[in-house]
Amino acid sequence: MAVRFVLDGQVVEIAEPDPTGTVLDYLRGALRRTGTKEGCAEGDCGACTVLVGEAAGECVAWRAVNACILFLPMIHGKALMTVESLAQGGELNPLQACMAGNGASQCGFCTPGFVMSLHGRAIGALGSELPVADVIAGNLCRCTGYGPIVEAGEKVACLAQDDSATLAALRALGADGASGTFGDRLWFAPRSSDELAAVLAEYPQARIVAGATDVGLWVTKGLRDLDTLVFIGDVADLKAIEESDAGVRLGAGVRYAEAHPALSRLHPDLGELVRRIGGLQVRNSATVCGNIANGSPIGDGPPALIALGAELTLRGLEGRRTIALEDYFLNYGKQDRRAGEFVESAFVPRPDAATRVHISKLSRRFDSDITAVLGAFALTVDQGTIVAARVAFGGMAATPRRAPACEAALIGQPFEETTIASAAAALGEDFAPLTDVRGSAAYRIEAARALLWRLWHREQGVPVSVLEIAG
């Protein structure tokens, strides 16, 4: 097994790499590119931000990612750009010079990560349509303050970049997958869903890796030894996004940043939710279906998709089967995925004009933080009466879950304040949440009720987002 990638127009080859060794460790160790920093080792602080590129027609498509949780084989056949790649002939590039001249750096530890995120925006990388503040939401600074950093990003908003040497080197690399062994560990990188199905048929207990934004932490924080991994990031037929009048279908390889425009068109609340999932580096790696497949009780995507009536298609030895997304989550750490099966796609229906949709996420930090409570509501109102209701929560139970008592209190009732009050009270029958570092049980149940009231108040024209309320 060898990993080959392009760095500054030149091919780098790593013979027999550790499959769960990180790009960050390789950069700082073997290559001595120490500009890329290790801060949190879990994809939260952005100090390790690098750009990964892939050939896309006549150009290179770049995306900012966290090198600290990116496994080395995941960059096979791709290009890599670090902060050392930017300065040419000993001269800072315009963005670096602007950061320095604008007083946007003090201790400097976080600065390379900010530079890489903003450089990605300036050259049109994935997510570059976002405002500067959103692009750097996954980069943390504790001494400068974001004002001068944002100003530097806005001043240098567009940069020309010659990727011709990188593109030529990428084409020369070819498209073979980096599958192989390292000691007693196996790494598979299928290129089609048929190959993926065949690998999982032989190794049904293998760990599937998409963006490694969760699995990466098992290694860097949990210190787990993973023996058999299957990387699906290069499976071409799992990357499709299909939009129709009926809804949106997302292949298992579709990253959140790639799905963001389609999900925003499905409903603005869904788009706003996606914007707040991790930082841009996380959304540039994490997949919508991976967020579902790992079964986290505080994953942001599943409650919202459950409320909208999403379905999941799984593929295995016996073919394909489609289930309601809510039925996939059986218990904490247990999902309805049989040995050898993998999530192939998710379908999210498009809400009609009569359906009132409201999705709210509560977290201690507004951007790039783990959810304490997430509420998602889809109420269909006909002539003033609620004729259908789907209510789902994350952070309230061992799995993302619907609220049947709350729904029963809504259906068949007039869409008015007394109905909302009854439904909010009924949430006490649906959930008995736990207390943890993100919130007490009492807080969570009161917050869940408040999120239902948010739907009511917004329908009355009252601002409910913290971004809309002026103090």
Side-chain angles (χ1 to χ4, degrees), residues 324-346:
L325 177 55
E326 64 211 70
D327 294 336
Y328 175 75
F329 304 99
L330 302 178
N331 208 331
Y332 182 76
K334 184 173 178 58
Q335 298 85 46
D336 183 12
R337 184 157 56 90
R338 301 164 187 167
E341 270 191 332
F342 63 93
V343 174
E344 187 174 55
S345 66

Side-chain angles (χ1 to χ4, degrees), residues 28-364:
R28 293 183 59 82
L31 297 186
R32 301 304 299 162
R33 290 205 172 201
T34 54
T36 307
K37 306 299 185 186
E38 179 174 348
C40 64
E42 58 187 36
D44 265 351
C45 75
C48 67
T49 303
V50 296
L51 300 184
V52 171
E54 300 179 61
E58 297 303 313
C59 64
V60 177
W62 296 98
R63 55 191 171 93
V65 300
N66 294 302
C68 69
I69 50 174
L70 186 69
F71 296 145
L72 274 170
M74 294 171 66
I75 62 169
H76 177 76
K78 301 175 178 62
L80 188 65
M81 191 191 311
T82 72
V83 69
E84 291 89 350
S85 306
L86 305 189
Q88 298 296 322
E91 297 290 328
L92 298 178
N93 88 340
L95 178 59
Q96 291 172 308
C98 188
M99 285 279 289
N102 207 50
S105 176
Q106 286 189 31
C107 83
F109 188 89
C110 67
T111 304
F114 276 99
V115 167
M116 294 308 297
S117 291
L118 292 174
H119 183 77
R121 181 178 188 267
I123 64 171
L126 184 60
S128 59
E129 74 284 353
L130 296 171
V132 170
D134 286 352
V135 168
I136 60 174
N139 294 83
L140 301 185
C141 173
R142 288 295 177 263
C143 57
T144 299
Y146 281 72
I149 299 172
V150 171
E151 289 172 6
E154 291 174 342
K155 286 179 181 177
V156 187
C158 185
L159 288 173
Q161 179 164 291
D162 183 4
D163 283 330
S164 56
T166 296
L167 184 60
L170 283 173
R171 288 173 173 165
L173 278 181
D176 62 308
S179 298
T181 62
F182 181 83
D184 58 353
R185 283 185 282 177
L186 303 175
W187 175 277
F188 296 97
R191 313 297 279 195
S192 70
S193 56
D194 287 344
E195 289 182 38
L196 172 59
V199 169
L200 291 176
E202 187 173 356
Y203 299 93
Q205 302 306 317
R207 175 59 55 189
I208 299 174
V209 177
T213 55
D214 188 23
V215 176
L217 273 68
W218 299 359
V219 175
T220 62
K221 293 296 187 179
L223 305 180
R224 290 172 59 176
D225 188 9
L226 307 177
D227 55 7
T228 305
L229 300 101
V230 182
F231 175 53
I232 67 168
D234 293 328
V235 179
D237 52 328
L238 293 183
K239 295 184 177 183
I241 301 174
E242 301 171 6
E243 287 188 77
S244 67
D245 291 342
V248 175
R249 182 173 296 279
L250 303 169
V254 176
R255 304 178 183 102
Y256 264 111
E258 296 162 337
H260 189 193
L263 294 177
S264 297
R265 288 188 287 269
L266 199 70
H267 194 276
D269 274 21
L270 198 52
E272 174 62 9
L273 174 66
V274 171
R275 187 185 70 81
R276 291 181 59 198
I277 293 177
L280 179 60
Q281 299 94 318
V282 170
R283 300 193 300 276
N284 280 346
S285 296
T287 63
V288 179
C289 289
N291 192 209
I292 293 168
N294 68 8
S296 170
I298 52 173
D300 286 342
L305 302 187
I306 287 172
L308 292 172
E311 294 180 336
L312 207 58
T313 297
L314 299 107
R315 179 175 172 182
L317 293 173
E318 300 174 0
R320 293 177 175 85
R321 62 189 179 103
T322 298
I323 60 174
L325 177 55
E326 64 211 70
D327 294 336
Y328 175 75
F329 304 99
L330 302 178
N331 208 331
Y332 182 76
K334 184 173 178 58
Q335 298 85 46
D336 183 12
R337 184 157 56 90
R338 301 164 187 167
E341 270 191 332
F342 63 93
V343 174
E344 187 174 55
S345 66
F347 176 75
V348 190
R350 191 177 303 279
D352 60 29
T355 301
R356 320 288 176 90
V357 174
H358 183 65
I359 302 168
S360 284
K361 167 178 173 167
L362 298 179
S363 54
R364 290 192 170 191

Side-chain angles (χ1 to χ4, degrees), residues 272 275-276 358 360-367 451 454 462-471:
E272 174 62 9
R275 187 185 70 81
R276 291 181 59 198
H358 183 65
S360 284
K361 167 178 173 167
L362 298 179
S363 54
R364 290 192 170 191
R365 189 174 66 226
F366 186 80
D367 284 310
L451 295 185
R454 274 191 181 186
V462 178
V464 296
S465 168
V466 295
L467 301 180
E468 300 172 322
I469 299 172

